[in-house]
Amino acid sequence: MTTPFPIRVLTLFPEFFESPLATSLTGKAIDRGHFSVELTDIRAFTTDKHRTCDDLPYGGGAGMVMKPEPLVAALEDAREALPGAPRILLTPQGEPFTQQIAAELSEEPGLILTCGRYEGVDERVREHWIDRELSLGDFVLTGGEVAAMAIIDAVTRLLPGVLGNQDSIEEESFSRPLLEYPHFTRPRSFRGHEVPEVLLSGDHGRIAQWRHEQALERTRRRRPDLLPPAHRDDDP
Ligand code: JBZ
């Protein structure tokens, strides 16, 4: 049974994905058939007795390299199953993943996500069997699995019908990328800390204005890089 958005994950640790994929919105979206995830154990494509997926680096140096044969066999199998899906490698050398890229990927016919491990994959695999390389950001992970799961989460919530509230996706794409305004729920007074009066006022114009000011101010203080240069100035 195929879904509108098939995802194939190539990994040495398929069990890593089981609980996050079964949980919450993601689990429900899979149950409802909005997308599917097929976990491929790269080790299943080995042909030696020890099921070897790594080898020593040519030229010497620390660590091991993912050897090409099982990985390429897994990529060819994935390509055959999902001919139109981009083959993506999660690697620290990749382009930083953004909301823009999440939106692009949600328009593809599916995804093939390859999780790097060890020091990385043999360069010839990257050159000839990969369409796009992505990284979560400038910090060090032990492998591509966490990055792949983050990408699955960010992309699939954009698929039609996955997010219950289609309004919030449209709001995201039309509003400037600011940080969110502060949120409050009951009780009105919690351990001596009050909900801002304006939110209790019932004046929707004032509330919208306050939220916009809060979003701008938070963004200016925490993420000035998100604002046009003219709005970034003076620290206080
Ligand atoms: C990523 C060797 O495999 C790795 C190692 C680190 C790493 C990835 C893959 S993907 N970091 C990131 O997205 O930042």
Side-chain angles (χ1 to χ4, degrees):
M1 170 53 182
T2 188
T3 65
F5 198 84
I7 301 173
R8 174 84 69 111
V9 182
L10 278 47
T11 173
L12 288 169
F13 301 99
E15 67 280 8
F16 175 90
F17 294 88
E18 278 164 20
S19 157
L21 288 173
T23 303
S24 184
L25 200 64
T26 308
K28 287 203 187 77
I30 292 173
D31 291 343
R32 290 175 182 159
H34 293 299
F35 69 99
S36 60
V37 180
E38 197 165 356
L39 300 170
T40 294
D41 185 351
I42 297 163
R43 213 172 290 284
F45 291 85
T46 56
T47 54
D48 66 314
K49 187 174 79 180
H50 299 288
R51 308 181 83 207
T52 313
C53 286
D54 62 339
D55 204 346
L56 295 164
Y58 273 118
M64 299 294 273
V65 177
M66 268 174 109
K67 63 193 269 90
E69 301 92 327
L71 189 51
V72 165
L75 279 162
E76 286 175 341
D77 187 74
R79 187 65 157 176
E80 197 172 327
L82 307 178
R87 295 160 298 184
I88 295 166
L89 177 67
L90 291 318
T91 165
Q93 282 79 45
E95 174 189 2
F97 183 64
T98 60
Q99 190 61 27
Q100 163 71 37
I101 296 172
E104 284 171 34
L105 296 183
S106 74
E107 302 289 325
E108 297 283 359
L111 300 176
I112 298 169
L113 300 174
T114 303
C115 304
R117 274 277 157 173
Y118 314 115
E119 300 309 305
V121 312
D122 184 286
E123 182 70 6
R124 294 162 295 185
V125 177
R126 189 196 70 68
E127 273 185 343
H128 300 289
W129 283 273
I130 293 294
D131 300 306
R132 188 165 196 179
E133 295 169 72
L134 295 176
S135 163
L136 227 47
D138 292 335
F139 43 82
V140 183
L141 301 174
T142 54
E145 282 77 7
V146 166
M149 190 59 233
I151 288 169
I152 292 170
D153 192 281
V155 170
T156 58
R157 65 183 286 286
L158 301 178
L159 298 173
V162 169
L163 211 70
N165 188 358
Q166 205 61 31
D167 288 354
S168 44
I169 284 183
E170 279 165 36
E171 200 172 286
E172 277 166 22
S173 59
F174 284 110
S175 67
R176 249 194 308 170
L178 295 179
L179 299 187
E180 280 261 335
Y181 53 77
H183 299 279
F184 296 87
T185 187
R186 292 185 289 184
R188 180 173 169 168
S189 177
F190 179 67
R191 301 195 182 187
H193 305 286
E194 307 299 321
V195 171
E197 201 57 47
V198 57
L199 298 178
L200 312 171
S201 69
D203 182 339
H204 299 294
R206 260 183 80 215
I207 292 170
Q209 173 66 22
W210 180 86
R211 284 177 168 167
H212 182 64
E213 287 163 6
Q214 291 286 316
L216 265 177
E217 184 54 20
R218 285 193 153 190
T219 307
R220 197 175 68 83
R221 285 181 176 276
R222 300 182 189 190
R223 292 296 307 279
D225 57 297
L226 296 177
L227 294 171
H231 293 78
R232 288 178 199 169
D233 306 329
D234 43 89
D235 312 332

